Amino acid sequence: MSAAPAKVTTGQSREIVAASLDHLAQIVLPNGRFIYAHEAGDTGNVHDGYNLLRHCGTVWFMARAATATGPTPPATLDAIRRAAGYIGRKLEPAPWAKAGQPSLALVGRGMVKLGGLGLGLLALSEVRKLPGALPDLPLGPDETLARMRRYALDEIDGDDFRHKRLLATGEVTPFRSDYYTGEAIFGLLVTGPSDTDLTRVTTSLMRRGYGWAQQSHWMAYAACEAAERGVVQPALGSAYLTGLMEGILSDSHYRARRQSTPIACRTEALTRVLHLARRRPDLMTPDFLTRIRAHAAENLSLQLDWYQDGQFWKGDDARKVQIDYIQHNATAFLHWADLEA
């Protein structure tokens, strides 16, 4: 029988978060883009590609980490400002917006992806909390976030959202992501009140267990926000999150892949629920929360197999470091440090 994994300590978690933030700050280029992917320990050995959604998610982590670990060195603050400015430059008016209701779309390669709006909302709202980090936004932060929210809310379609459009024509493409809906709901709930349509769609999705099959960490974030803010009834919040957590606890095939980020995303979900339980202890039983905590602790120990010097690489089969690998893994350690404090 293999030995139980060593417990990850609060101090260790904080060191990982700080080192990850520092590494990400070092790979922000003058124009605000990141060195998107590189070999572990060698930022000169780069991989091709770029993903705007992952850029936004990474900036969200950086701002959260800087707030948690402060005081923030000027060079790190400047890196966050440049990376957030890159997001701002990707915002364009949606040509198909309703008259008198201007909105802002987050545009990459002529396409507008709903998930990008959700993560962009998270990133800019979190950067705004960090003194001196918010870039110049021509419309100002309030109006910029309001118009981004309007775009995302306008994409509600029945009991879900439209996921992807062509900017030039507004044509909705057939593309569907397993994660965009959760990202959008989460971003909308973090940045403003829930209106009737958002409450309706969130309730409907949670009632039918949307995201359970994917063990979606973004729906975990969204459902926790909905439960904490009273957007859904306590019974629904409890039932939804119990189902999502049971899926992760009872089917850990994701661990067998021996890759850092599939594990990290589940750890994010587990630890976000543990944070919710601090404020809403009525939603889950103590025994169930103990199981969640133990599973999260085991995951964190596994994630260390692919970590060194602020970098998380893909897994046993590749030492590629990508910005979202750092984001998801380091976010899990950020959550853990707060829980154990």
Side-chain angles (χ1 to χ4, degrees):
M1 181 180 296
S2 60
K7 182 178 179 180
V8 174
T9 67
T10 304
Q12 186 179 17
S13 295
R14 288 175 175 162
E15 288 172 2
I16 289 169
V17 171
S20 297
L21 172 60
D22 182 63
H23 180 76
L24 288 169
Q26 290 182 43
I27 61 172
V28 178
L29 301 171
N31 66 356
R33 281 169 62 111
F34 292 90
I35 295 174
Y36 179 68
H38 61 83
E39 283 296 294
D42 186 0
T43 57
N45 187 353
V46 301
H47 293 255
D48 293 335
Y50 211 80
N51 184 290
L52 184 56
L53 276 74
R54 291 168 180 168
H55 178 108
C56 291
T58 301
V59 174
W60 176 57
F61 160 74
M62 292 178 74
R64 293 182 69 199
T67 300
T69 58
T72 308
T76 300
L77 200 65
D78 182 63
I80 294 172
R81 186 187 304 109
R82 282 182 280 120
Y86 184 80
I87 298 172
R89 294 194 299 276
K90 291 294 182 178
L91 295 170
E92 297 186 35
W96 59 88
K98 299 174 184 175
Q101 298 183 45
S103 62
L104 282 173
L106 186 70
V107 184
R109 297 171 186 161
M111 305 300 299
V112 186
K113 299 177 181 178
L114 176 74
L117 238 293
L119 297 180
L121 284 167
L122 291 171
L124 293 181
S125 64
E126 199 65 39
V127 170
R128 190 180 188 184
K129 300 175 187 176
L130 193 61
L134 192 68
D136 179 46
L137 299 170
L139 297 174
D142 289 340
E143 186 62 20
T144 296
L145 290 171
R147 293 191 184 194
M148 292 170 69
R149 283 178 51 81
R150 189 171 297 136
Y151 178 90
L153 289 168
D154 284 347
E155 290 299 86
I156 293 175
D157 182 25
D159 289 333
D160 205 331
F161 290 76
R162 290 175 286 268
H163 279 198
K164 188 175 178 181
R165 287 184 188 260
L166 294 170
L167 176 69
T169 64
E171 176 189 349
V172 178
T173 75
F175 175 83
R176 304 288 300 176
S177 164
D178 287 337
Y179 302 104
Y180 284 7
T181 290
E183 291 164 341
I185 293 173
F186 183 31
L188 285 166
L189 291 178
V190 164
T191 55
S194 180
D195 67 4
T196 301
D197 284 342
L198 181 57
T199 296
R200 175 183 52 76
V201 73
T202 302
T203 300
S204 176
L205 290 162
M206 289 175 63
R207 280 177 177 164
R208 66 178 191 257
Y210 176 85
W212 284 4
Q214 295 78 20
Q215 300 182 358
S216 172
H217 62 295
W218 290 119
M219 276 306 296
Y221 280 117
C224 284
E225 289 293 331
E228 193 167 347
R229 296 167 184 269
V231 174
V232 298
Q233 293 297 313
L236 177 57
S238 176
Y240 180 84
L241 290 168
T242 297
L244 183 58
M245 294 296 99
E246 281 288 11
I248 295 173
L249 296 176
S250 62
D251 182 9
S252 57
H253 285 94
Y254 67 89
R255 288 177 171 176
R257 294 168 62 182
R258 294 289 299 167
Q259 294 182 348
S260 64
T261 304
I263 299 173
C265 290
R266 273 74 171 188
T267 315
E268 283 185 81
L270 295 162
T271 51
R272 178 61 182 92
V273 167
L274 292 172
H275 277 280
L276 174 65
R278 283 184 163 182
R279 292 178 285 273
R280 295 294 306 275
D282 56 311
L283 290 181
M284 294 182 182
T285 67
D287 286 348
F288 191 46
L289 292 170
T290 297
R291 289 176 59 202
I292 293 172
R293 181 179 288 272
H295 198 92
E298 291 172 3
N299 275 4
L300 289 162
S301 182
L302 288 172
Q303 289 164 233
L304 291 176
D305 288 349
W306 307 288
Y307 170 79
Q308 189 172 0
D309 299 331
Q311 301 165 58
F312 288 89
W313 53 90
K314 183 176 180 180
D316 288 354
D317 58 340
R319 288 179 58 84
K320 181 176 74 168
V321 175
Q322 201 163 279
I323 58 173
D324 55 309
Y325 302 168
I326 300 175
Q327 171 208 332
H328 291 297
N329 281 277
T331 296
F333 284 96
L334 175 63
H335 290 180
W336 192 250
D338 289 343
L339 284 168
E340 296 293 289

